[in-house]
Amino acid sequence: MNMRSISLISILVVAAATNLGCGSSTGSRDGGISGNGGIAGSGGTAGSGGTTGSGGAGGTTGSGGVGGTTGSGGIPGDGSIPGDGGIPLVFGAWYSYDDWYGGSPPTAGVGDCPRIGLFTQDQCSQITAPIPGQPFTPTADGKVCTSGVAAKVIMDATGARAYSAITGAGIGFYFNEASTSGAMLPWDATAHGVTGVGFTIEMPPVGGQMRVEFPTSAAPGVTDIYPAYWGGAGANLSPITKGGTYALHWSDVGGPMYLIPYMAFDKTKIVSMQFHVVTNTVAAVPFDYCISNIRALTD
């Protein structure tokens, strides 16, 4: 599915969605890995709490869609922050995506919703901020926020439910800050001693209706487009029901349950982490949430 827009924010991690269809908004059938145009970012500098890790330098990124191109004018990161295990990890840039936007650079009206489903804009998901392809504007206290509507899944021209076209919207970031829009490099969590990720979310959609996804480069065209997600081995959604601070380990990441068979999650080839608002057949899902306090777990 289309991954749609890159925006930048090189950040560090401190140590440590209901759609029953098969679409996921994490990439494209054209082979793009979570890229949809991007905004180049500058690398983080070493923090005071630890030594610089091996996460690479120079943040670039893309967003959920078809490929991506490097942009400019990104927001610099704030440097390396030691994790709970004293391991500083520098993340790549943030990106936004929805099923209305697609292509490289990200363009309105060429995403999976209009391209595959032949639907009009009012029938597709819409992310109103940040617009795919434009820089993020973090809050003063470092939160990354997004708003919009994940559209209701309707019938396509064949009379089937258009899960593969109306896939939703969200934001995400690349783990490997050395990634570029032309080559989204994998990141090896095992090599960095990282066992999972923690984060704080404020004001998630009512009822959760989200998947915390981890596209990988293990099988291009499969694991990048239909990514494993937190709780994905047996549940349609990740277990986010209200705002708060969450922690997940790689053993909690699996699936996707809608794709049978699916490949085992490869934590040595993680490309990005996405907060995906998933579509359903009952009603559209408005969202206005913020993510902060992302950190690497080492336990």
Side-chain angles (χ1 to χ4, degrees):
M1 312 297 98
N2 267 15
M3 289 195 52
R4 316 61 182 154
S5 102
I6 324 176
S7 344
L8 165 265
I9 229 187
S10 284
I11 67 173
L12 305 175
V13 194
V14 179
T18 295
N19 177 1
L20 298 177
C22 61
S24 77
S25 296
T26 60
S28 83
R29 289 187 171 83
D30 302 320
I33 300 178
S34 297
N36 221 3
I39 309 294
S42 62
T45 58
S48 60
T51 57
T52 301
S54 59
T60 58
T61 181
S63 91
V66 184
T69 57
T70 301
S72 61
I75 303 169
D78 56 4
S80 297
I81 301 176
D84 292 344
I87 303 172
L89 299 173
V90 182
F91 281 171
W94 284 84
Y95 56 87
S96 63
Y97 61 92
D98 65 25
D99 52 46
W100 176 249
Y101 274 78
S104 175
T107 304
V110 296
D112 283 351
C113 187
R115 183 173 61 88
I116 298 175
L118 303 180
F119 295 117
T120 58
Q121 184 174 4
D122 62 312
Q123 296 172 311
C124 299
S125 301
Q126 302 287 312
I127 189 164
T128 56
I131 299 298
Q134 295 184 5
F136 275 86
T137 303
T139 63
D141 52 359
K143 298 174 184 178
V144 179
C145 303
T146 183
S147 61
V149 177
K152 175 183 175 179
V153 176
I154 58 178
M155 302 296 185
D156 62 18
T158 69
R161 292 174 175 172
Y163 286 115
S164 62
I166 305 175
T167 57
I171 56 176
F173 64 87
Y174 286 92
F175 277 91
N176 193 331
E177 70 153 350
S179 294
T180 67
S181 57
M184 298 305 171
L185 303 177
W187 181 81
D188 187 340
T190 300
H192 288 83
V194 175
T195 60
V197 182
F199 63 93
T200 297
I201 184 169
E202 297 179 28
M203 303 178 296
V206 175
Q209 200 60 32
M210 298 183 72
R211 294 177 186 151
V212 180
E213 302 171 333
F214 295 89
T216 75
S217 63
V222 181
T223 60
D224 52 342
I225 299 176
Y226 310 102
Y229 57 92
W230 180 23
N236 181 48
L237 304 173
S238 294
I240 298 176
T241 57
K242 60 183 179 180
T245 297
Y246 295 85
L248 64 93
H249 292 83
W250 303 136
S251 57
D252 304 320
V253 179
M257 54 86 74
Y258 56 77
L259 186 66
I260 303 295
Y262 55 76
M263 294 181 61
F265 172 64
D266 189 343
K267 59 182 176 293
T268 70
K269 299 179 181 179
I270 305 174
V271 172
S272 64
M273 180 177 184
Q274 301 184 151
F275 299 88
H276 177 191
V277 181
V278 180
T279 56
N280 65 80
T281 60
V282 177
V285 182
F287 59 88
D288 186 1
Y289 65 88
C290 294
I291 301 295
S292 63
N293 193 31
I294 298 178
R295 62 205 181 279
L297 305 180
T298 59
D299 59 337

